[in-house]
Amino acid sequence: MAAGVLTKGLCGFRQPRIVAAGYSCSGPLYATATAVKTLPLQTDSTAVTDKIQNLPLETPDFFHLSELFSLKDLFDARVHLGHKKGCRHRLMEPYLFGSRLGQDIIDLDQTMAHLQSALNFTAHIAYRGGIILFVSRRRQFGHVVESTAGDCGEYAHTRYWQGGLLTNAPIQYGSGVRLPDLIVFLSTLNNVFQQHVGVRDAAKMNIPTVGVVDSNCNPSLVTYPVPGNDDTPAAMELYCRLFKMTINRAKDKRRQMELLQGLSPPGLTQGSS
Amino acid sequence: MAASGGRTVGSFLWKCGNCCFNFNTVSSNLTRQVLSRQLCVSAVLHRKNLAAAGPEKFSEEFIKKQVEEFNIGKRHLANMMGEDPETFTQGDINRSIAYLFPSGLFDKKAKPLMKHPDEVFPKQRAVQWGADGRPFHFLFYTGKQSYYSLMHVSTGSLVGSRWLLKEELEELLVETISEHDYARFIQLMERLLSLPYCSVEEDFVQRYRRQLEIQSSKQQVQPLQYDQHGVAYSTGDGRRKTATGTVLLRDSGSGSISINGTNYVHYFPVLQDREQLMFPLHFMGVLGRFDMQCSVSGGGHSSQAGALRLAISRAMLSFLSEGQVETMRQAGLLTPDPRIKERKKPGQEGARRKFTWKKR
């Protein structure tokens, strides 16, 4: 009978669905309605919070990220290998060291400098509690990227990019959604070798981007391009490991600073420094 | 009484359990058809984005208040009907309402209703982010977090592994298994993997899988062998088209080459073939160092020369260092030539040659 079917359907909706083990979801997925309780903006920002925010900005390498990687590590992970010279993008020519047997070689000295600044920027964003979104449309590495994001407590998007995710966010997700503060592209191309829509959308929404640009990519819209290989598993695992270590380091540093300054976690009463 | 119309998923249901009204049973057939039609055009089911169903119309406090009012009203109704408020079920409520407010209307939605607010107010997705704005689920920005988290299977080790073979399974279970049994077992395991939440049983699945060895394509360099006079020697074999050749390379020699017992000059009268034999030695600069005894069969003179060249290069590997091996590989001396005679196709005279085209 139709009535029986309908009640069964309703019961199915009512139970909160259990998310796959390993990923905790503290909010209920389905409920009749929940209102967002936003924290009142702290208009009286104390000197302590200011100090915590601004202290990393005083030293150039506050998080000591230069010790995480060396030129030899990049070489061993085959980061310097680009595509064949027929696939070369005109705007990538400044980043190329040369070409051997028709294959472009990326200049690792420049990559070191770019990677340092990109990781430094990511660390600062993570330190300030920003939302970092990892994007890659390579199906080979989707799982690795998602696991990396899960491990550092950030977000990943390695699936089909629906058009209005960033530009039409209130309609897509609900009003009051917070957009990512940094988007990290582990490959700026999509499955048809065109530039990923996210690069353009992030530029439109004033969201800074960090991107690994291979010799066939367009680096112009990426805020912190990192010229390097995005096709080899070794290179991708290196990048994922580096980003995970930077973010974890930055978050740990933040917790440490808050403890040192005697600041309890947000939401509770502030202690004296 | 709350929102009506096509938006509510739960239409107003009447459990016609105790319906003693004749016209009700007649109309129930019609209303059942109406119900099914209503479902089809329900706006909720057509809406593409269930997550963002517009601004939240009903806040949590409002719903809570409604629930309290419903519970109090239920007790009042029980008292009115003279029944026990504790054991007053929804069916009793429906019957009481039908008794107190008899309605001659045909449309189910127009009849008086008293239901729990959860069934009346439409389902709205709970807000997926916390007070600081950070979403709870790490795949939130994909738009379909639950679906993609199901797709994110954590059994990554399925990639480099294979199922147990029949013999290995027999060994594991200490029992004889027939082909049919083995096929059913594989079918069952594949079925298990295809279900959602298979990652929960990963340990169980891993017990029946074996890792595949990564086949390295590095050259296997044979160690040098020494004969009774202390002279180092090594062997190598090579193939080209249908010719196969083997070579015995002896150190501290004078550069003499014998093929199938005859001198190489007599065996290969053509200069090109002798150059092919010479090339690996000339490339490494060890022309006068080795003595060679070769045997070759099959193919023509050119393919035999090519087979011997590959055999010589492979035999030389034992005498050379790593860097020299790499230079030989890059020169193409260690790559077997895969070209074979292409088959003849029907409708053509040869592999590529077509029959003479005649205009008329």
Side-chain angles (χ1 to χ4, degrees):
Chain A
M1 230 183 70
V5 167
L6 280 170
T7 41
K8 231 181 2 182
L10 276 176
C11 287
F13 269 124
R14 228 184 313 167
Q15 286 157 22
R17 213 184 288 161
I18 312 156
V19 183
Y23 305 107
S24 61
C25 175
S26 50
L29 268 180
Y30 287 100
T32 37
T34 320
V36 176
K37 284 193 188 59
T38 48
L39 274 182
L41 285 166
Q42 291 169 342
T43 45
D44 54 334
S45 47
T46 58
V48 173
T49 337
D50 269 350
K51 188 176 165 203
I52 296 180
Q53 295 266 70
N54 296 332
L55 187 64
L57 298 173
E58 284 154 26
T59 20
D61 193 11
F62 184 73
F63 302 99
H64 306 292
L65 298 167
S66 39
E67 67 196 28
L68 285 180
F69 61 98
S70 67
L71 204 136
K72 187 167 188 315
D73 293 336
L74 293 185
F75 185 83
D76 289 334
R78 309 195 250 278
V79 164
H80 58 290
L81 301 174
H83 289 270
K84 292 278 193 183
K85 69 170 187 252
C87 304
R88 192 192 302 166
H89 198 281
R90 225 194 71 201
L91 296 170
M92 284 298 290
E93 276 161 20
Y95 301 120
L96 295 181
F97 182 72
S99 163
R100 169 154 170 79
L101 296 173
Q103 185 181 16
D104 288 334
I105 305 296
I106 296 168
D107 189 0
L108 282 183
D109 295 318
Q110 291 188 53
T111 305
M112 288 279 285
H114 282 96
L115 188 59
Q116 171 68 31
S117 51
L119 287 177
N120 192 33
F121 186 72
T122 321
H124 280 268
I125 294 270
Y127 180 87
R128 285 159 175 259
I131 295 181
I132 302 178
L133 181 65
F134 287 89
V135 175
S136 165
R137 197 59 180 101
R138 297 207 65 121
R139 292 191 57 179
Q140 251 180 311
F141 310 119
H143 189 89
V144 174
V145 172
E146 287 186 344
S147 322
T148 317
D151 288 340
C152 25
E154 297 297 339
Y155 306 87
H157 185 101
T158 56
R159 312 284 178 167
Y160 176 73
W161 182 280
Q162 282 179 311
L165 282 192
L166 290 181
T167 42
N168 202 18
I171 313 293
Q172 285 275 337
Y173 303 115
S175 54
V177 68
R178 183 176 156 187
L179 286 179
D181 299 306
L182 170 68
I183 302 188
V184 178
F185 285 93
L186 287 155
S187 165
T188 47
L189 296 182
N190 61 16
N191 284 346
V192 270
F193 300 106
Q194 288 165 343
Q195 198 184 46
H196 199 285
V197 178
V199 175
R200 194 199 67 193
D201 282 355
K204 277 191 188 174
M205 303 300 291
N206 285 338
I207 299 172
T209 42
V210 165
V212 174
V213 281
D214 206 348
S215 62
N216 57 351
C217 307
N218 184 352
S220 41
L221 279 180
V222 182
T223 333
Y224 288 90
V226 176
N229 191 4
D230 62 3
D231 302 289
T232 328
M236 288 302 271
E237 275 169 22
L238 175 81
Y239 299 136
C240 288
R241 207 182 65 232
L242 285 176
F243 278 110
K244 185 162 67 167
M245 294 200 323
T246 4
I247 293 173
N248 285 334
R249 219 180 244 211
K251 287 186 173 171
D252 290 338
K253 195 80 192 197
R254 177 63 186 237
R255 266 185 290 246
Q256 203 182 43
M257 293 288 271
E258 284 182 347
L259 280 173
L260 273 175
Q261 307 296 330
L263 220 66
S264 31
L268 306 173
T269 50
Q270 281 187 1
S272 53
S273 59
Chain B
M1 295 304 169
S4 57
R7 283 184 155 261
T8 34
V9 174
S11 325
F12 303 168
L13 305 165
W14 282 114
K15 280 200 186 132
C16 322
N18 270 1
C19 281
C20 42
F21 306 108
N22 286 334
F23 68 84
N24 239 2
T25 47
V26 168
S27 62
S28 66
N29 284 325
L30 287 170
T31 46
R32 223 175 290 145
Q33 285 159 17
V34 167
L35 262 173
S36 51
R37 249 187 280 132
Q38 279 286 349
L39 269 177
C40 290
V41 303
S42 163
V44 172
L45 292 172
H46 274 188
R47 193 176 304 127
K48 295 220 164 55
N49 201 343
L50 283 174
E56 279 153 13
K57 292 184 269 289
F58 315 109
S59 62
E60 206 178 340
E61 297 92 53
F62 175 75
I63 297 288
K64 256 197 244 164
K65 205 159 69 67
Q66 291 292 310
V67 173
E68 280 163 22
E69 281 183 8
F70 171 77
N71 287 327
I72 293 171
K74 198 167 87 162
R75 298 184 76 88
H76 278 308
L77 188 62
N79 284 329
M80 268 195 271
M81 299 300 287
E83 304 218 15
D84 182 20
E86 306 298 329
T87 56
F88 205 57
T89 61
Q90 186 60 45
D92 296 328
I93 296 177
N94 295 340
R95 261 178 278 119
S96 322
I97 296 290
Y99 173 73
L100 290 171
F101 302 98
S103 165
L105 301 171
F106 293 112
D107 194 358
K108 288 274 178 180
K109 291 203 195 121
K111 292 185 186 163
L113 158 89
M114 184 164 171
K115 282 197 123 41
H116 191 85
D118 280 345
E119 289 168 42
V120 168
F121 293 97
K123 284 254 161 295
Q124 282 166 325
R125 199 172 174 131
V127 171
Q128 298 298 312
W129 51 84
D132 57 351
R134 288 185 79 104
F136 297 126
H137 200 274
F138 81 119
L139 290 176
F140 169 75
Y141 287 105
T142 55
K144 304 186 219 175
Q145 62 185 51
S146 320
Y147 169 66
Y148 286 130
S149 70
L150 281 183
M151 305 293 276
H152 179 80
V153 177
S154 13
T155 45
S157 47
L158 278 182
V159 179
S161 56
R162 57 161 176 85
W163 290 117
L164 284 183
L165 297 172
K166 182 159 157 306
E167 293 75 22
E168 289 168 359
L169 188 63
E170 278 180 346
E171 207 184 296
L172 191 73
L173 301 176
V174 198
E175 271 176 13
T176 44
I177 300 173
S178 72
E179 287 282 347
H180 184 69
D181 290 335
Y182 180 67
R184 288 291 289 269
F185 164 73
I186 297 295
Q187 208 180 26
L188 173 75
M189 299 306 276
E190 291 291 343
R191 185 86 190 279
L192 181 67
L193 285 180
S194 68
L195 296 171
Y197 302 122
C198 57
S199 45
V200 177
E201 293 300 322
E202 197 182 327
D203 295 323
F204 173 76
V205 168
Q206 282 307 314
R207 252 182 280 154
Y208 300 100
R209 284 193 83 92
R210 290 278 176 275
Q211 292 299 119
L212 286 166
E213 299 86 31
I214 301 160
Q215 282 157 352
S216 163
S217 53
K218 268 183 104 81
Q219 289 288 337
Q220 302 284 343
V221 179
Q222 308 292 333
L224 271 180
Q225 292 154 292
Y226 295 89
D227 67 2
Q228 70 260 45
H229 299 295
V231 175
Y233 72 92
S234 71
T235 51
D237 49 336
R239 249 195 282 237
R240 169 94 213 277
K241 273 194 192 176
T242 40
T244 50
T246 48
V247 139
L248 185 83
L249 217 62
R250 248 195 273 270
D251 205 353
S252 39
S254 56
S256 64
I257 308 176
S258 73
I259 305 179
N260 287 353
T262 54
N263 200 3
Y264 71 111
V265 183
H266 300 312
Y267 196 82
F268 286 130
V270 181
L271 176 67
Q272 185 191 332
D273 300 338
R274 290 200 296 271
E275 274 184 344
Q276 287 283 298
L277 286 188
M278 241 173 46
F279 177 44
L281 305 172
H282 176 69
F283 185 75
M284 300 314 298
V286 291
L287 266 176
R289 185 171 147 193
F290 295 107
D291 271 341
M292 282 188 275
Q293 275 171 281
C294 324
S295 61
V296 69
S297 63
H301 65 97
S302 206
S303 45
Q304 283 184 345
L308 280 180
R309 184 183 108 166
L310 183 60
I312 292 168
S313 321
R314 284 191 180 155
M316 267 173 65
L317 286 182
S318 328
F319 291 95
L320 300 174
S321 66
E322 281 279 328
Q324 288 173 315
V325 167
E326 184 58 26
T327 34
M328 287 210 22
R329 187 190 71 84
Q330 289 193 345
L333 280 166
L334 299 176
T335 322
D337 199 335
R339 297 177 290 177
I340 52 166
K341 190 163 171 164
E342 199 176 314
R343 78 160 263 203
K344 176 200 176 308
K345 284 107 192 173
Q348 294 173 0
E349 194 162 318
R352 298 285 171 103
R353 160 119 174 98
K354 320 283 187 285
F355 291 123
T356 314
W357 180 74
K358 295 204 178 72
K359 198 164 181 175
R360 51 185 70 84

